[in-house]
């Protein structure tokens, strides 16, 4: 089947939904998403969204905090733009019906997280993302100009390559004409022709064995754009959240929000020592890269699998009001945070790199924009400041909307696009090969391309991944496409990009830390 639309949006997180709602005022929108409508990284966001809100805070302070966290690699122009425009975008989110918590004076209750010099995180208890998805989907489902296709998996974007032309990363004017999408309920593959395509596919946490990201986060958008010869950047900057709940059998890992440290919770090692002071003067509220590395180091010194977050001294009522979700999770596991310390461990959480975009969200492929976590705008540099990603998604979805709606009326849908060619493919002989390869990739990435890297480890990861890549390409060519097979291909592609970019960057900066020799003495990071 061929489907025609003005705007094709791939992804139903904060970025895709925000764009779709706005673009629907100007044209027809098709929004596809590979799982349930609300399934996304956005849904699990806990801490909140950073914005300059109270009188004592300033754009300059938020800009400086972002630049410091980014370890000198942020694009300052983009940082200023996002922070300056961010407050108005958050205001729009409120007008759409998102409810952020207020204090007894009726003012927004602004929380603090690592790397922030002010309280500026708007939140809805500790389930901010759930509330944002609720508010956006409520509007989306009432909009007659938006059709949502859930359980549709985007396989690849369509370019001149599909018309038989040779396309390389140097070809000028590569253009996106739409995408091939797989209906995962019946296995049919449809062709969507669009004037504008928006990649809003989120993160890639499942490249690693332990991640806070839900299973949908397989880096599909980045892999699709890379295959289409678009440009990708900064993939070595993988953010590990310092505090996921230590429960090895649970996937994804449950997040223990950084806002708890903003509320006064303190990291301690297994001897009960507040170790962060040895690493950074900001203690438990240092930027994430520093805290995650310090925990990693403490675990190497002690040989233990986790450290603790101590909440026992905190105000019980205020804590339960702010963090009911985390409190209930702990209680259900038999950990009363006012009696016992919470065992925590770093887990993959966010990808700073991705599809290169300009200030309007345009990728290097014409008629293709990328917004949200799959994009690399220059905001985060070498390390994202906490709660800046929801903000980035809002600002860039708005900018992409303004730019795309000014140009789409001049674009005609491309004719003669062939349908998906499944000739010569058969059902997989053994599905276990796909699931097993996925686990192998995740182990390679967690073992050799984690918080601390070395040339030797990266080379080992590269060599092992190459074997899996070759095996999987052979399987892909002869197998009827399934979501699992496509995702495996994307996970391998994104892992390759992370390793390749990590190998190119010789110096340690931000989230990319290269150890020359294994050294478990406390790292001096400030
Ligand atoms: P997502 O919300 O991940 O949405 C991506 C969408 O694309 C999904 O609907 C997915 O199903 C769909 N998709 C992907 N591939 C395909 C495909 N091939 N075909 C069709 N559909 C596809 N950030 C903050 O700023 N503050 C926080 O407090 C915060 N807390 C977090 C807590 C957790 C546990 C996690 C995991 C992340 C958190 N983050 C937080 C990060 C933030 O949530 C994400 O960066 C942000 O929500 C990404 O939004 P997005 O719209 O780009 O992508
Ligand atoms: C958290 O609540 O700790 C997550 C915040 C973020 O990832 O920005």
């Amino acid at each position: 089947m061929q489907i025609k639309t003005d705007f094709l949006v791939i992804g139903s997180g904060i970025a895709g939904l925000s764009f779709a709602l706005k673009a629907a005022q100007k044209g027809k929108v098709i929004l596809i998403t590979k799982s349930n409508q609300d399934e996304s990284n956005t849904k699990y966001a806990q801490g909140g969204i950073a914005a300059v809100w109270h009188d004592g805070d300033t754009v300059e302070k938020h800009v400086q905090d972002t630049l410091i966290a980014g370890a000198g690699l942020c694009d300052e122009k983009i940082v200023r733009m996002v922070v300056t425009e961010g407050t108005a975008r958050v205001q729009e989110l409120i007008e759409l019906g998102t409810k952020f918590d207020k204090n007894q004076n009726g003012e927004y209750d602004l929380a603090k997280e690592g790397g922030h010099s002010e309280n500026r995180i708007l939140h809805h208890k500790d389930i901010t993302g759930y509330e944002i998805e609720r508010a956006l989907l409520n509007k989306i489902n009432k909009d007659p100009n938006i059709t949502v296709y859930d359980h549709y998996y985007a396989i690849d974007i369509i370019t001149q390559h599909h018309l038989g032309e040779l396309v390389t990363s140097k070809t000028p004017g590569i253009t996106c004409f739409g995408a091939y999408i797989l209906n995962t309920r019946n296995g049919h593959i449809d062709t969507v022709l669009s004037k504008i395509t928006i990649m809003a596919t989120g993160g890639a946490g499942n490249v690693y064995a332990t991640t806070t990201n839900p299973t949908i986060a397989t880096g599909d958008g980045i892999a699709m754009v890379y295959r289409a010869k678009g440009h990708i950047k900064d993939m070595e900057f993988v953010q590990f959240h310092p505090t996921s709940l230590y429960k090895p059998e649970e996937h994804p890992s449950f997040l223990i929000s950084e806002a708890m440290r903003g509320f006064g919770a303190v990291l301690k090692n297994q001897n009960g020592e507040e170790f962060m002071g040895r690493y950074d003067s900001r203690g438990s509220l240092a930027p994430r890269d520093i805290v995650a590395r310090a925990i990693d180091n403490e675990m190497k010194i002690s040989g233990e699998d986790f450290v603790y977050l101590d909440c026992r001294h905190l105000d019980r009522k205020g804590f339960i009001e702010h963090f009911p979700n985390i409190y209930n999770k702990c209680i259900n596991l038999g950990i009363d945070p006012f009696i016992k310390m919470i065992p925590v461990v770093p887990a993959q959480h966010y990808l700073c790199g991705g599809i290169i975009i300009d200030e309007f969200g345009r990728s290097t492929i014409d008629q293709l924009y990328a917004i949200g976590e799959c994009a690399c705008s220059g905001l985060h540099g070498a390390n994202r400041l906490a709660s800046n990603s929801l903000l980035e998604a809002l600002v860039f979805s708005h900018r992409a909307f303004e730019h795309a709606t000014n140009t789409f009326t001049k674009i005609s849908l491309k004719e003669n696009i062939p349908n998906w060619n499944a000739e010569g493919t058969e059902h997989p002989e053994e599905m276990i090969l796909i699931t097993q390869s996925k686990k192998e990739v995740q182990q390679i990435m967690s073992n050799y391309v984690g918080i601390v890297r070395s040339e030797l480890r990266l080379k080992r990861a590269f060599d092992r991944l190459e074997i899996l890549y070759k095996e999987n390409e052979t399987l892909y060519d002869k197998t009827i496409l399934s979501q699992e097979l496509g995702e495996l291909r994307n996970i391998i592609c994104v892992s390759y990009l992370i390793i390749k970019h990590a190998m190119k960057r010789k110096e340690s900066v931000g989230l990319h830390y290269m150890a020359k020799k294994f050294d478990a003495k406390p790292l001096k990071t400030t």
Side-chain angles (χ1 to χ4, degrees):
M1 185 167 66
Q2 279 208 346
I3 304 157
K4 296 182 179 174
T5 187
D6 295 319
F7 303 100
L8 167 63
V9 179
I10 307 176
S12 59
I14 186 171
L17 296 178
S18 306
F19 177 90
L21 259 188
K22 292 186 173 181
Q25 299 159 13
K26 308 278 180 176
K28 287 272 173 212
V29 178
I30 285 182
L31 186 145
I32 77 156
T33 188
K34 67 180 173 179
S35 180
N36 295 335
Q37 280 192 0
D38 66 344
E39 189 57 357
S40 57
N41 276 6
T42 302
K43 180 180 173 184
Y44 301 95
Q46 292 186 352
I49 182 161
V52 176
W53 212 267
H54 74 83
D55 288 345
D57 198 4
T58 61
V59 166
E60 194 53 36
K61 284 186 189 170
H62 191 176
V63 165
Q64 288 309 323
D65 292 346
T66 305
L67 294 174
I68 291 167
L73 291 190
C74 300
D75 180 336
E76 189 167 339
K77 190 180 96 194
I78 296 291
V79 174
R80 286 189 185 282
M81 188 194 91
V82 171
V83 173
T84 306
E85 296 176 13
T87 307
R89 301 287 84 80
V90 175
Q91 184 60 43
E92 286 172 0
L93 204 56
I94 293 171
E95 282 156 21
L96 281 173
T98 311
K99 292 186 174 56
F100 293 118
D101 290 353
K102 292 189 174 171
N103 60 25
Q104 282 152 345
N105 304 329
E107 292 155 352
Y108 283 110
D109 176 46
L110 302 171
K112 196 170 188 181
E113 289 177 359
H116 287 275
S117 57
E118 289 288 336
N119 284 48
R120 61 166 76 99
I121 321 287
L122 290 110
H123 65 96
H124 179 93
K125 304 198 182 299
D126 54 355
I127 51 166
T128 308
Y130 184 87
E131 169 61 10
I132 292 174
E133 282 281 318
R134 182 202 62 74
L136 287 170
L137 279 168
N138 179 40
K139 296 283 180 200
I140 291 270
N141 287 322
K142 289 180 186 151
D143 195 311
N145 257 357
I146 304 175
T147 312
V148 178
Y149 288 51
D150 57 9
H151 296 274
Y152 273 80
Y153 168 77
I155 308 163
D156 266 319
I157 58 165
I158 302 168
T159 67
Q160 292 92 326
H161 164 78
H162 298 94
L163 294 167
E165 292 176 28
L166 177 70
V167 177
T168 73
S169 57
K170 298 210 169 70
T171 305
I174 305 174
T175 306
C176 176
F177 305 123
Y180 292 115
I181 62 170
L182 168 73
N183 178 339
T184 58
R185 290 192 169 109
N186 64 16
H188 292 165
I189 295 178
D190 297 320
T191 308
V192 185
L193 299 180
S194 54
K195 294 179 181 172
I196 298 287
T197 301
I198 304 290
M199 200 59 86
T201 47
N206 290 281
V207 155
Y208 286 87
T210 49
T211 176
T212 63
N213 293 188
T215 53
I216 51 97
T218 50
D220 300 347
I222 296 170
M224 280 188 255
V225 171
Y226 181 72
R227 280 196 292 275
K229 312 296 180 204
H231 296 183
I232 310 293
K233 195 173 170 234
D234 285 354
M235 295 291 284
E236 67 274 37
F237 300 124
V238 177
Q239 186 168 70
F240 289 78
H241 197 292
T243 57
S244 78
L245 183 68
Y246 175 72
K247 197 164 183 289
E249 67 282 13
E250 192 169 78
H251 299 281
S253 304
F254 182 81
L255 185 72
I256 303 291
S257 176
E258 191 157 312
M260 293 205 354
R261 279 175 276 136
F263 194 81
V266 174
L267 285 162
K268 293 190 174 166
N269 61 21
Q270 303 233 356
N271 298 327
E273 182 207 357
E274 281 186 37
F275 59 88
M276 272 311 300
R278 279 193 273 112
Y279 295 84
D280 193 289
S281 56
R282 289 161 290 188
S284 290
L285 275 174
R288 258 178 214 176
D289 55 335
I290 295 170
V291 182
R293 234 169 13 246
I295 295 176
D296 186 68
N297 204 50
E298 288 297 310
M299 292 187 331
K300 280 178 178 147
I301 295 168
S302 68
E304 306 282 359
D305 292 335
F306 55 86
V307 295
Y308 285 113
L309 190 65
D310 192 356
C311 306
R312 294 172 297 177
H313 54 290
L314 300 177
D315 165 47
R316 178 184 266 272
K317 186 168 170 289
F319 180 92
I320 296 174
E321 261 169 33
H322 192 149
F323 305 106
N325 184 39
I326 297 172
Y327 177 75
N328 286 334
K329 175 82 182 179
C330 291
I331 291 292
N332 288 339
L333 293 173
I335 307 165
D336 182 334
F338 295 94
I339 298 173
K340 290 182 187 166
M341 294 193 282
I342 306 173
V344 291
V345 65
Q348 193 287 348
H349 182 63
Y350 184 85
L351 185 59
C352 294
I355 304 160
I356 296 185
I357 56 167
D358 68 6
E359 69 265 42
F360 303 110
R362 283 183 297 183
S363 74
T364 54
I365 297 179
D366 292 346
Q367 293 167 212
L368 178 74
Y369 295 69
I371 51 179
E373 190 169 338
C374 68
C376 182
S377 68
L379 175 69
H380 309 307
N383 176 39
R384 175 181 67 105
L385 182 66
S387 288
N388 261 358
S389 50
L390 295 173
L391 187 72
E392 180 191 38
L394 282 182
V395 169
F396 277 94
S397 59
H398 182 78
R399 294 190 135 251
F401 149 74
E402 285 194 321
H403 195 274
T405 50
N406 272 331
T407 56
F408 85 102
T409 47
K410 296 168 212 141
I411 298 170
S412 309
L413 291 176
K414 190 76 177 167
E415 305 284 337
N416 305 327
I417 299 290
N419 285 332
W420 181 259
N421 181 5
E423 223 172 273
T425 56
E426 292 173 2
H427 286 290
E429 279 171 45
E430 292 184 79
M431 201 58 193
I432 187 80
L433 294 182
I434 295 174
T435 48
Q436 214 40 51
S437 291
K438 183 174 168 185
K439 283 187 195 154
E440 279 184 57
V441 178
Q442 292 170 333
Q443 284 308 329
I444 291 170
M445 293 303 287
S446 287
N447 290 342
Y448 306 123
V449 200
I451 295 174
V452 177
R453 301 157 181 183
S454 72
E455 286 189 14
L456 211 60
R457 291 178 210 178
L458 293 176
K459 167 86 172 68
R460 183 175 272 218
F462 191 89
D463 292 345
R464 279 156 178 64
L465 192 73
E466 196 172 16
I467 300 169
L468 289 165
Y469 167 76
K470 285 183 181 151
E471 277 173 10
N472 197 57
E473 285 303 291
T474 310
L475 189 69
Y476 188 84
D477 286 343
K478 61 176 194 192
T479 308
I480 290 176
L481 188 64
S482 62
Q483 181 174 336
E484 292 78 5
L485 181 57
E487 286 179 347
L488 172 60
R489 194 174 188 224
N490 292 337
I491 282 177
I492 292 174
C493 173
V494 169
S495 300
Y496 162 77
L497 288 168
I498 293 172
I499 298 169
K500 198 175 95 171
H501 290 199
M503 282 173 139
K504 272 201 188 145
R505 190 174 294 281
K506 302 290 176 202
E507 82 282 13
S508 292
V509 56
L511 295 160
H512 177 68
Y513 185 82
M514 291 287 279
K516 293 225 166 33
K517 273 192 212 149
F518 173 69
D519 181 1
K521 287 194 291 293
L523 304 165
K524 203 74 195 141
T525 47
T526 50

